[in-house]
């Protein structure tokens, strides 16, 4: 099947405009915020999920002895949630597993020290599963909890109020202020 001339012309215009973007660059250098006097470097990962999507964002937080703090967005991801509806904790646990994978990828890519990794969730249920050493769980929950336990320490997990999580921006509409 051949494209009509109007569609072909639109594609050519788009391709020409696309070539003009080659001069655009975005500074993603994390070492810019790693000043010589940095005494604390932390990786913070926020995870969340609902029936529509799994979301994770990662930030680097650097502080110096004078109390100067710099935070830099590293990466974020939103994935469509599985079509098969499962229990409420399963998507949240899957997002937590995704956060573990993010941290592993980030730590493998950077060439500077990180003093601490912190994982944030608004799900007290997820935190209870992670800290639970005795109760038996469904297979899917047990597998997620096992992966989380293999990739992190339960003390690295923290609670964050839903209103404070920037990870929600990945799937919630935002109203412009102004």
């Amino acid at each position: 099947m051949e494209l009509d001339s109007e569609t072909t012309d639109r594609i050519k215009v788009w391709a020409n405009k696309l070539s003009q973007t080659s001069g655009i660059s975005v500074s993603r250098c994390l070492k810019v915020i790693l000043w010589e006097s940095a005494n604390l470097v932390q990786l913070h990962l926020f995870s969340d999920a609902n029936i529509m999507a799994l979301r994770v964002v990662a930030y680097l937080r650097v502080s110096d002895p004078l109390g100067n703090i710099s935070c830099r967005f590293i990466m974020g991801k939103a994935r469509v949630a599985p079509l098969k509806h499962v229990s409420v904790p399963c998507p949240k646990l899957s997002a937590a597993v995704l956060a573990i994978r993010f941290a592993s990828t980030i730590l493998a890519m950077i060439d500077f020290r990180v003093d601490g990794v912190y994982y944030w969730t608004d799900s007290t249920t997820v935190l209870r599963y992670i800290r639970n050493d005795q109760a038996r769980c469904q297979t899917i929950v047990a597998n997620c909890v096992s992966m989380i336990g293999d990739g992190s320490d339960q003390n690295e997990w923290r609670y964050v109020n839903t209103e404070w999580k920037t990870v929600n921006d990945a799937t919630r509409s935002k109203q412009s202020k102004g």
Side-chain angles (χ1 to χ4, degrees):
M1 179 176 152
E2 288 190 33
L3 297 175
D4 60 75
S5 62
E6 181 184 338
T7 303
T8 304
D9 290 342
R10 289 176 57 202
I11 291 172
K12 287 179 182 176
V13 168
W14 174 79
N16 286 335
K17 288 182 179 179
L18 186 61
S19 67
Q20 296 171 1
T21 63
S22 64
I24 297 174
S25 67
V26 178
S27 174
R28 293 291 302 250
C29 181
L30 298 175
K31 288 186 178 183
V32 170
I33 65 167
L34 293 172
W35 52 84
E36 289 182 20
S37 61
N39 67 335
L40 188 62
V41 179
Q42 300 171 330
L43 179 61
H44 291 264
L45 298 106
F46 295 80
S47 65
D48 193 23
N50 58 25
I51 59 170
M52 294 174 41
L54 310 176
R55 305 170 299 270
V56 176
V57 293
Y59 295 90
L60 192 67
R61 182 182 187 271
V62 179
S63 61
D64 70 10
L66 299 175
N68 297 312
I69 296 172
S70 180
C71 293
R72 182 77 47 102
F73 171 80
I74 298 177
M75 61 192 291
K77 186 168 200 154
R79 284 189 179 169
V80 176
L83 291 175
K84 183 179 176 186
H85 183 66
V86 290
S87 66
V88 173
C90 287
K92 299 247 185 197
L93 283 166
S94 296
V97 170
L98 189 57
I100 297 295
R101 291 181 182 151
F102 255 47
S104 176
T105 299
I106 292 166
L107 293 171
M109 290 188 319
I110 59 178
D111 61 352
F112 50 83
R113 81 174 199 287
V114 173
D115 301 307
V117 178
Y118 298 93
Y119 301 91
W120 298 86
T121 180
D122 69 339
S123 173
T124 56
T125 303
V126 167
L127 292 173
R128 274 189 245 122
Y129 276 127
I130 291 170
R131 293 185 174 114
N132 181 1
D133 293 332
Q134 298 167 356
R136 296 179 54 94
C137 306
Q138 295 175 315
T139 304
I140 188 168
V141 171
N143 288 341
C144 286
V145 171
S146 175
M147 285 187 264
I148 293 167
D150 290 345
S152 67
D153 183 275
Q154 65 182 0
N155 295 322
E156 294 173 332
W157 285 88
R158 306 276 194 275
Y159 174 80
V160 63
N161 189 305
T162 300
E163 297 169 11
W164 287 73
K165 288 190 336 244
T166 60
V167 72
N168 288 333
D169 294 349
T171 56
R172 292 190 181 165
S173 65
K174 300 297 286 177
Q175 300 272 333
S176 67
K177 296 176 182 147

